[in-house]
Amino acid sequence: MIAITGTNGKTTTTLLIYHLLKSAGLNVGLAGNVGHSWSGQLLQGDKDWWVIETSSFQIDGMQTFHPHIAILTNVTPDHLDRYEGQVEKYMKSKFRLFINQKANDFALFYKEDMISKSGIEEAKIRAKKHFISLNAENNPSAFLQGDELVGKVNQEEIRIPKKVLPIAGKHNVINALFAITAAKIAGLSQAQIEAGLQSFKNAPHRLEKVAEIEGVSYINDSKGTNVEATAYALESYNQGVIWIAGGVDKGNDYTPLVPLVSARVKALICLGKDNVKLQKAFAGVIDEIRETQNIIEAITWSRQMAQKGDVVLLSPACASFDLFKNYEDRGDQFRAGVLDLKMKISA
């Protein structure tokens, strides 16, 4: 089993690992927090490999679950309403993924994530630790070097051009490095990994480009349900951003977003029932702030405010349950509204 958890990036990393193994011809299944029930699939038959996304909610109930490769993409403050407002309790939940691993198993971590580092120091991890990094310092197992993704497993080095990645953003480089390392441990060759990366298509609602209208790109990042995820999204665009955000606040601290927002965001459209905290956080940082409870109105305003070359970015940094069924429903409504706008303009 390959099990993946983390505040951000776990679904993309899970889907990417599954795609790499499947495209290489391995007998592999996909389960957990993405796809279909693992136990339900096991009733139909086992696989040689299982790639399983695990949320903290699922990990909290685990007793004997034993992944051969366990991955923690990162830990950032999220779901704190479930963990009494304490990020330490949330972190400890994530680290339960590693408790049943043995010395011949593998534990993968993001080297630059400080909360993960704190957890590693506290936890008794018996598995072989591998670290992912955006630089080559201190000899990580996989890292970004110039325009190449470099992986080192079992004294073998592979180098893959960054340009083959079909997914954008620094965070997706990290996700790809995790996937490359796991795939290499599973026995894939460089050629198999590179071919799999090139043919990968990510799940919806993750920096999904819906359309370009009048020279403006409309991006659906509805899965960006916390501050860290939205930071990754904002880092992916240097041009003027019309930012659509808001929803159910999960104890967010918006302070880390201020430098990114001040450098990139031209206008903020708050989409939620209670926008006071969001408005207060960016008052004086963003010149124009509006609020609505209607996603079509948000799209209409975005068109009015955007200029050619700008990006309209739905990356809420909040949960969706005040106005929508879930983040998929929010993203689906945004996509439908943008495509309807494009059709009307083209008519």
Side-chain angles (χ1 to χ4, degrees), residues 205-206 220-225 314-316 326-328 330-331:
H205 315 298
R206 295 158 176 84
N220 170 19
D221 192 49
S222 184
K223 185 61 172 66
T225 58
L314 170 67
S315 189
N326 47 44
Y327 78 83
E328 290 102 332
R330 177 171 59 192

Side-chain angles (χ1 to χ4, degrees), residues 93-104:
S93 170
K94 292 294 191 185
F95 270 85
R96 292 190 73 255
L97 184 65
F98 304 93
I99 60 175
N100 293 318
Q101 286 193 297
K102 308 300 181 185
N104 62 340

Side-chain angles (χ1 to χ4, degrees), residues 40-304:
Q41 292 184 71
L42 285 170
L43 290 173
Q44 306 303 317
D46 203 357
K47 302 283 188 181
D48 293 335
W49 286 91
W50 286 99
V51 183
I52 303 174
E53 179 184 327
T54 56
S55 72
S56 59
F57 298 0
Q58 293 163 323
I59 295 171
D60 284 340
M62 290 177 179
Q63 299 297 324
T64 60
F65 186 73
H66 177 187
H68 178 52
I69 303 171
I71 297 173
L72 176 59
T73 59
N74 52 56
V75 181
T76 65
D78 197 11
H79 303 299
L80 298 188
D81 50 341
R82 177 181 171 87
Y83 295 100
E84 301 175 351
Q86 299 179 43
V87 71
E88 292 81 7
K89 289 188 175 182
Y90 176 52
M91 175 195 72
K92 288 179 180 178
S93 170
K94 292 294 191 185
F95 270 85
R96 292 190 73 255
L97 184 65
F98 304 93
I99 60 175
N100 293 318
Q101 286 193 297
K102 308 300 181 185
N104 62 340
D105 295 319
F106 296 85
L108 278 56
F109 303 97
Y110 176 38
K111 183 174 171 290
E112 279 78 36
D113 184 53
M114 299 312 296
I115 298 178
S116 294
K117 183 178 179 180
S118 173
I120 294 167
E121 292 171 354
E122 291 183 21
K124 296 179 180 179
I125 296 174
R126 295 184 291 270
K128 301 169 187 174
K129 293 190 284 291
H130 286 256
F131 292 93
I132 307 305
S133 179
L134 287 172
N135 60 74
E137 294 178 11
N138 298 318
N139 197 31
S141 298
F143 53 91
L144 179 65
Q145 187 172 57
D147 292 325
E148 287 185 314
L149 305 177
V150 183
K152 296 180 179 180
V153 177
N154 298 329
Q155 298 181 334
E156 183 180 350
E157 181 178 283
I158 62 172
R159 289 180 174 268
I160 297 174
K162 180 184 172 185
K163 64 183 180 181
V164 308
L165 282 183
I167 44 180
K170 181 180 74 174
H171 59 302
N172 280 321
V173 171
I174 298 166
N175 297 336
L177 290 169
F178 273 116
I180 289 168
T181 305
K184 192 62 185 166
I185 292 170
L188 271 63
S189 68
Q190 173 165 332
Q192 289 173 318
I193 293 171
E194 188 167 339
L197 289 174
Q198 289 176 306
S199 61
F200 176 69
K201 292 183 179 179
N202 203 2
H205 315 298
R206 295 158 176 84
L207 291 182
E208 171 194 358
K209 185 174 181 179
V210 176
E212 185 172 313
I213 303 171
E214 301 171 323
V216 175
S217 296
Y218 289 76
I219 307 297
N220 170 19
D221 192 49
S222 184
K223 185 61 172 66
T225 58
N226 57 61
V227 169
E228 186 78 10
T230 294
Y232 286 141
L234 289 169
E235 283 178 340
S236 301
Y237 303 101
N238 292 320
Q239 62 267 57
V241 175
I242 311 300
W243 178 31
I244 303 173
V248 179
D249 186 285
K250 297 182 286 184
N252 290 352
D253 176 10
Y254 295 106
T255 306
L257 292 179
V258 170
L260 286 168
V261 167
S262 61
R264 290 166 167 80
V265 175
K266 297 170 63 174
L268 167 62
I269 300 173
C270 301
L271 179 65
K273 289 186 176 180
D274 183 0
N275 303 304
V276 173
K277 185 175 177 180
L278 194 60
Q279 289 177 312
K280 185 177 180 180
F282 297 104
V285 179
I286 303 173
D287 291 336
E288 185 165 7
I289 300 177
R290 301 185 187 183
E291 61 177 326
T292 181
Q293 295 183 20
N294 187 301
I295 199 163
I296 301 303
E297 187 170 46
I299 294 168
T300 301
W301 286 347
S302 297
R303 183 195 174 198
Q304 294 169 357

